[in-house]
């Protein structure tokens, strides 16, 4: 798996909100939690963890939608309601971006899958690491290092 040349861009379904990524993802994932299943209308949601300093909205104004909780802020296009990215309160290092929005998302493969205890029995991904919940904090450094080595 190899990240496309930086910077790369993407957009919501209708194109009213555009994003740009200027830093390589620090990890990719598929989340099987029932919340992601519901919000994505699918078996899981996909995420590219992008360093916050390497992510920006270049056009349009996304709005918070989905779960309106104090911990996660899910951003959507106000017009077509595409779920675009998630910011986790207190975690400023990265933004979770839906990789299917990228103009070229053919490079994307989930490296980790999370919340497999809620996984639909038939749902499969090629992820190398599998967690019943979210990875313990002490695993992230190892996971991000291995992911970076595989992206070269």
């Amino acid at each position: 798996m190899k990240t496309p040349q930086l910077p790369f861009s993407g957009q919501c379904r209708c194109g009213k909100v555009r994003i740009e990524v200027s830093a390589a993802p620090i990890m990719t994932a598929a989340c099987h939690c029932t919340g992601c299943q519901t919000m994505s209308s699918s078996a899981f949601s996909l995420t590219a963890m992008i360093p916050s300093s390497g992510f920006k909205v270049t056009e349009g104004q996304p709005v918070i939608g989905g779960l309106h909780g104090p911990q996660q802020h899910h951003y959507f296009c106000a017009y077509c309601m595409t779920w675009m990215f998630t910011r986790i309160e207190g975690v400023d290092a990265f933004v979770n971006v839906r990789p299917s929005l990228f103009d070229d998302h053919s490079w994307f493969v989930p490296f980790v899958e999370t919340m497999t205890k809620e996984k639909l029995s038939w749902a499969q991904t090629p992820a190398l690491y599998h967690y019943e919940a979210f990875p313990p904090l002490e695993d992230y450094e190892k996971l991000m290092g291995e992911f970076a080595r595989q992206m070269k």
Side-chain angles (χ1 to χ4, degrees), residues 56-149:
K56 67 180 174 180
V57 175
T58 58
E59 194 173 315
Q61 200 66 40
V63 297
I64 293 178
L67 180 65
H68 289 262
Q71 296 173 336
Q72 296 179 0
H73 304 287
H74 303 291
Y75 288 85
F76 291 75
C77 168
Y79 185 77
C80 69
M81 300 308 291
T82 300
W83 179 21
M84 299 188 70
F85 59 94
T86 300
R87 293 186 185 271
I88 303 169
E89 198 162 297
V91 180
D92 298 327
F94 63 88
V95 178
N96 286 323
V97 182
R98 309 284 78 80
S100 54
L101 303 177
F102 300 143
D103 295 336
D104 174 12
H105 53 267
S106 62
W107 62 270
F108 180 87
V109 176
F111 182 69
V112 174
E113 62 180 354
T114 62
M115 300 302 291
T116 60
K117 68 182 175 192
E118 298 179 16
K119 177 177 166 175
L120 297 174
S121 62
W122 53 265
Q124 301 296 318
T125 77
L128 297 178
Y129 294 92
H130 315 273
Y131 290 89
E132 283 193 354
F134 290 107
L137 287 176
E138 59 269 14
D139 284 12
Y140 277 93
E141 187 175 343
K142 178 188 93 158
L143 290 168
M144 291 186 300
E146 187 169 333
F147 178 79
R149 285 187 292 282

